Amino acid sequence: MVIDKRKVRTAIGGTVVGNFMEWFDFGIYGYLAVTLAVVFTSDLPEPWGLLVTLLGFAISFIVRPFGGLVLGPLGDRIGRQKVLFLTMAMMAAATALIGVLPTSAQIGLWAIVPLYLLKMVQGFSTGGEYAGATTYVAEFSPDRRRGFWSSWLDVGSYVGFAAGASVVALSTWITQSISGPDAMTEYGWRIPFLVAIPLGIVAIYFRLRIPETPAFENAAEVNLDKDDPYARLGIIGILRHHWRVVLIGIAIVAATNTAGYALTSYMPTYLETEVGISNLGAAIATVPVLIVMSACLPLIGRLSDRIGRRPVYFIAAGSTLVLMVPAFAVMQIGQEWAVFIALAMVAIPVAFYVAVSASALPALFPTASRFGAMAIAYNVSVSLFGGTTPLFSQGLIELTGNPYMPAFYIMFFALLGIIAMLSMRETAKRPLLGSVPTVETRAQAERVVATQDSNPLIDTSTMPLEILHAAREGDGEVDASAQASTRS
């Protein structure tokens, strides 16, 4: 199948803006956690107010599997593009509505209830967002450059988080200059959430323009045989046929997101409460690190196209074990330069993890059930381990009094990730399971067809037979609208 580069760029751009929006909200909530504790839980004593606020972050992740169980199989039935539009609209609306909620000064502790409900809406929508976005970009990317193209998805994620942190920092500086040190708790906290309104409109516009993936269109009429692992399966069928790969995905996602959410969503709280860095100072240190890290992701994605996804994952897990404790030790110095260096050390393994996530994880599952399987593996793991990282990390510190507990927590999941990586099959340079090879030019298509029987990177037994026969009998180019037949 030949993919037009212009369509690839349009498709990637449309998904990147959605991930930007999702992580923009994470950035806002993470950097306003201490402020929101005052706004929504002023009647609770310390540290309960902060823990209740962080619980709101965790609740959004607890709901994610339910969103994944609904939206994932739906995306396998009606298409990736339609579900991605729905998730974007839900996320933008919920984020904006948080900005108009009443505070505890107005309605007491009841203020936390609508906040939790809107975080649940966000969690439900993100249950389909990342699984759908990674499925989408993986299916739209050519086999030999899937790592490079897919890495741009997480560029949007971390730039979005940096944008959220920047908006919080700018809002803090402006409102405090105008109204004094209490300005953010009085009204300034609303501004970053309301900024989601114009951003959401732009993101929804781009989502409306993205096309459906050729891989989905080619598999649109796959069989529904529950005994065929390459058929379109429901939740039970996915767990029955692909449970081993689902467990591998859960472990790798846990390793990735405990480190990732520690760097982003938890670090502002840690720097304020354990190191004594102000909210503004934490943003000033974090934003440049995230921007530089984001710029490195396509380079690492391209590296994974050359050496493979598994070696890059091993680099990520190994650097986690080596760098995490020293990073938290440097952080304890408490100076701005030390915090910057420490965050850069944490960002190194995170960059290697996330640069290959969007290309490696969807490739573990066959096309007909990819969205649903990704939704299960990713969201179960993120809800149990990733999104709860801020809550568990702070809770472990409160329980033990040891400021290094977040580092040990992250390292534990890196070890589990290494075990999973040993069982993970390499997917770089290979066609997606259940799809024909995807290339960028007609000449590449002709070479693939000519060598497909002897090429060790191609397993024709996993491909839709009708399209495969068309490629063999034709001139090497498969029409993107061709429909796949039932596998034999």
Side-chain angles (χ1 to χ4, degrees):
M1 187 186 310
V2 180
I3 300 292
D4 188 335
K5 278 188 178 181
R6 289 173 297 178
K7 288 187 177 181
V8 173
R9 294 190 183 100
T10 300
I12 300 300
T15 49
V16 165
V17 295
N19 260 39
F20 175 96
M21 188 69 205
E22 177 184 352
W23 281 72
F24 178 81
D25 171 70
F26 291 156
I28 292 172
Y29 201 88
Y31 277 89
L32 286 177
V34 176
T35 300
L36 294 178
V38 177
V39 171
F40 288 100
T41 63
S42 58
D43 296 334
L44 291 177
E46 294 186 3
W48 293 107
L50 179 58
L51 290 176
V52 167
T53 304
L54 293 177
L55 179 61
F57 188 81
I59 282 176
S60 68
F61 284 84
I62 293 173
V63 175
R64 284 182 75 147
F66 298 101
L69 292 176
V70 173
L71 298 173
L74 184 65
D76 286 327
R77 287 199 300 273
I78 69 173
R80 288 47 165 138
Q81 187 271 343
K82 293 182 179 67
V83 172
L84 286 174
F85 168 76
L86 175 63
T87 60
M88 186 71 270
M90 293 175 65
M91 168 61 74
T95 302
L97 286 173
I98 291 177
V100 297
L101 290 180
T103 68
S104 61
Q106 297 169 309
I107 61 173
L109 269 179
W110 287 105
I112 203 69
V113 175
L115 176 64
Y116 280 3
L117 290 175
L118 288 175
K119 295 301 291 182
M120 291 171 69
V121 172
Q122 290 178 334
F124 186 88
S125 67
T126 53
E129 172 61 35
Y130 191 77
T134 53
T135 295
Y136 187 90
V137 298
E139 291 181 350
F140 236 111
S141 301
D143 297 335
R144 290 190 171 274
R145 302 186 70 196
R146 184 168 291 116
F148 170 75
W149 285 113
S150 297
S151 67
W152 285 97
L153 181 64
D154 282 294
V155 172
S157 300
Y158 284 89
V159 170
F161 189 93
S166 298
V167 169
V168 170
L170 189 61
S171 300
T172 301
W173 178 68
I174 292 175
T175 57
Q176 290 183 349
S177 298
I178 296 173
S179 305
D182 295 329
M184 284 302 288
T185 55
E186 290 174 356
Y187 68 90
W189 65 273
R190 299 182 185 274
I191 297 173
F193 291 103
L194 295 177
V195 170
I197 296 175
L199 291 179
I201 293 173
V202 173
I204 290 171
Y205 169 75
F206 277 102
R207 279 285 166 91
L208 285 171
R209 298 181 65 233
I210 62 175
E212 187 53 79
T213 70
F216 172 80
E217 292 178 335
N218 290 338
E221 294 184 6
V222 295
N223 70 84
L224 301 177
D225 183 1
K226 295 181 180 180
D227 293 324
D228 184 354
Y230 289 87
R232 192 176 72 211
L233 304 169
I235 297 169
I236 295 176
I238 289 171
L239 295 178
R240 174 189 171 193
H241 291 288
H242 305 295
W243 65 269
R244 290 183 180 85
V245 184
V246 168
L247 289 178
I248 290 172
I250 287 174
I252 293 176
V253 171
T256 301
N257 284 282
T258 48
Y261 284 111
L263 174 65
T264 55
S265 301
Y266 176 61
M267 203 52 67
T269 300
Y270 184 85
L271 291 174
E272 285 191 63
T273 59
E274 305 302 323
V275 182
I277 300 294
S278 68
N279 183 290
L280 184 60
I284 291 173
T286 306
V287 169
V289 171
L290 293 180
I291 295 297
V292 172
M293 187 190 83
S294 298
C296 293
L297 297 185
L299 302 177
I300 300 173
R302 180 169 288 173
L303 175 67
S304 76
D305 285 330
R306 307 186 107 192
I307 68 174
R309 319 288 188 234
R310 294 175 77 238
V312 173
Y313 266 139
F314 280 118
I315 292 173
S319 59
T320 300
L321 299 177
V322 171
L323 294 176
M324 207 54 60
V325 170
F328 275 79
V330 172
M331 219 175 291
Q332 298 303 315
I333 296 174
Q335 300 294 319
E336 196 73 31
W337 63 267
V339 171
F340 183 83
I341 292 174
L343 292 178
M345 294 169 68
V346 176
I348 291 172
V350 174
F352 281 94
Y353 274 130
V354 302
V356 295
S357 291
S359 56
L361 296 173
L364 298 175
F365 305 103
T367 298
S369 301
R370 182 170 295 121
F371 198 154
M374 265 295 297
I376 294 171
Y378 186 83
N379 290 303
V380 167
S381 184
V382 169
S383 66
L384 293 178
F385 311 115
T388 56
T389 294
L391 179 64
F392 287 162
S393 296
Q394 189 64 29
L396 287 170
I397 291 175
E398 299 292 344
L399 182 65
T400 65
N402 186 341
Y404 291 92
M405 289 306 294
F408 300 140
Y409 185 78
I410 296 165
M411 292 165 64
F412 170 76
F413 285 100
L415 288 172
L416 293 182
I418 289 175
I419 296 173
M421 293 165 201
L422 293 172
S423 302
M424 173 185 169
R425 72 181 188 89
E426 182 57 68
T427 59
K429 303 178 183 178
R430 294 162 171 80
L432 295 171
L433 288 176
S435 296
V436 297
T438 303
V439 295
E440 297 177 272
T441 67
R442 182 186 181 93
Q444 290 177 354
E446 292 173 348
R447 285 197 298 271
V448 168
V449 172
T451 62
Q452 62 187 1
D453 292 327
S454 59
N455 191 335
L457 299 178
I458 296 177
D459 181 3
T460 57
S461 68
T462 69
M463 298 178 189
L465 292 181
E466 188 172 295
I467 299 178
L468 182 62
H469 292 158
R472 281 175 166 164
E473 295 169 3
D475 58 6
E477 183 173 358
V478 180
D479 179 48
S481 64
Q483 299 299 313
S485 65
T486 302
R487 292 177 67 254
S488 61

